[in-house]
Amino acid sequence: MEIKEIVKEKYGQAALRATSGGSSCCGASARLENCSSVDPITSDLYDALQKEQIPEEAVLASLGCGNPTALAQLTAGETVLDLGSGGGIDVLLSARRVGPTGKAYGLDMTDEMLALARENQRKAGVENVEFLKGDIESIPLPDDSVDVIISNCVINLSADKAKVLREAFRVLKPGGRFAVSDVVVRGDVPEQVRRSMEMWVGCIAGALQDSEYIGKLAKAGFEDIDIEPTRVYSIEDARQFLTGEGIDVDAMARLVENKFMSAFIRAVKPTSKECCGPACCS
Ligand SMILES: C[S@@+](CC[C@H](N)C(=O)[O-])C[C@H]1O[C@@H](n2cnc3c(N)ncnc32)[C@H](O)[C@@H]1O
């Protein structure tokens, strides 16, 4: 509960910063001026063509660590759900991809983020979008109702990731795709980092090991699981997100260099078993 309340408070503040024209950044670098241009996790995720399609305010409010809409396969008419939709950037981009016969839902627990996202939707003039208030650990949508789940640097914030993945599995239709950007770790996270609440909020301390992520997805029922690194963080990047946390980055260089990465995580909810004959279908 404590983690959730802190996450809500921090992202509420980030939404208000974005609303007042400032840039919003993930965790540790949020205190830097113009952090979005220097933040190693959040900067330069979207190309010019994508930015042209949505209001500037939605781009400025981006707090992700990847670009799931660029990597996810989306088809006209499909229903997409973005877990932890923030200022709405990936929902608005997905809405364009699935077109007027499709629908893009954004789910977020933070009131200020929902207000910002709805304002960005109004500016974008898209109608096939709905922002829902709720928790990704208890998704307010029926079973088998979504074709594609996207998310951008949110699942690492949850204290119960297995529950989030079970919920994602439940709401996906059979054959539905999980296509998520997240920070993941190779090997162990140093204990000092793990203990920092600021770094949990900054998408670092709560990150799963790649093997744990695969295990939890498989346990939830997913198949065809794949983790593709999209950005591996160097010691200089690590310096940005660890500085100010009272951590001697150089002393623990070996423990952090190239261990944190943004990754694109895919998986599929299996379709029901093919009917193989009268006996097995009865
Ligand atoms: C790092 S930001 C990412 C926002 C957005 N995906 C983007 O790329 O800009 C995390 C967002 O997830 C939301 N969030 C975090 N934990 C959540 C939870 N358990 N349920 C719903 N929303 C959550 C926060 O309110 C915040 O808007």
Side-chain angles (χ1 to χ4, degrees):
M1 218 42 224
E2 195 204 0
I3 287 179
K4 202 167 285 180
E5 287 313 311
I6 293 171
V7 166
K8 207 182 272 185
E9 191 193 324
K10 293 281 181 181
Y11 284 105
Q13 290 163 1
L16 293 178
R17 270 199 307 279
T19 308
S20 59
S23 58
S24 52
C25 275
C26 229
S29 51
R31 70 176 81 80
L32 304 171
E33 219 170 295
N34 288 327
C35 57
S36 58
S37 59
V38 295
D39 183 274
I41 300 180
T42 301
S43 57
D44 301 328
L45 297 174
Y46 298 87
D47 65 26
L49 206 66
Q50 285 187 306
K51 288 184 194 167
E52 272 169 23
Q53 298 173 36
I54 45 176
E56 197 191 350
E57 292 82 349
V59 178
L60 285 175
S62 158
L63 284 166
C65 56
N67 186 343
T69 57
L71 296 167
Q73 181 204 334
L74 298 178
T75 309
E78 287 191 317
T79 300
V80 182
L81 167 65
D82 182 10
L83 300 180
S85 43
I89 184 164
D90 295 318
V91 178
L92 298 178
L93 288 169
S94 301
R96 301 248 184 250
R97 298 263 304 276
V98 297
T101 56
K103 174 130 190 183
Y105 288 103
L107 173 63
D108 207 287
M109 66 176 180
T110 307
D111 288 320
E112 294 87 342
M113 277 296 181
L114 287 163
L116 176 62
R118 290 179 181 133
E119 179 58 14
N120 286 334
Q121 176 189 357
R122 193 190 60 73
K123 287 181 185 142
V126 283
E127 287 181 1
N128 58 337
V129 161
E130 192 175 338
F131 288 100
L132 306 171
K133 179 169 178 173
D135 196 324
I136 62 172
E137 291 162 18
S138 178
I139 300 175
L141 285 175
D143 297 0
D144 303 341
S145 58
V146 170
D147 294 291
V148 184
I149 287 197
I150 60 166
S151 184
N152 201 345
C153 235
V154 180
I155 296 174
N156 54 45
L157 298 173
S158 168
D160 194 346
K161 295 166 178 70
K163 198 167 178 200
V164 175
L165 301 180
R166 283 199 301 274
E167 277 292 274
F169 187 86
R170 178 184 67 77
V171 299
L172 277 174
K173 296 176 187 171
R177 284 106 65 203
F178 179 88
V180 161
S181 292
D182 221 343
V183 172
V184 294
V185 192
R186 286 191 195 123
D188 291 325
V189 175
E191 191 46 36
Q192 238 181 317
V193 172
R194 190 62 93 192
R195 279 201 307 267
S196 161
M197 190 50 77
E198 192 70 27
M199 272 189 278
W200 187 292
V201 174
C203 312
I204 295 295
L208 286 176
Q209 282 184 17
D210 44 5
S211 55
E212 285 178 302
Y213 220 127
I214 291 170
K216 287 186 194 299
L217 280 164
K219 201 160 180 207
F222 284 100
E223 290 181 346
D224 298 334
I225 302 164
D226 182 54
I227 297 190
E228 177 191 337
T230 50
R231 243 179 221 190
V232 179
Y233 299 110
S234 66
I235 185 68
E236 281 318 310
D237 298 326
R239 203 180 298 283
Q240 291 263 9
F241 52 74
L242 301 180
T243 297
E245 300 306 312
I247 289 176
D248 181 349
V249 182
D250 294 307
M252 56 163 53
R254 197 179 43 81
L255 298 174
V256 291
E257 182 158 39
N258 298 329
K259 290 225 169 145
F260 289 89
M261 58 185 177
S262 287
F264 184 60
I265 299 135
R266 312 167 206 260
V268 176
K269 176 170 175 173
T271 46
S272 23
K273 292 270 173 274
E274 289 278 303
C275 185
C276 55
C280 66
C281 294
S282 56

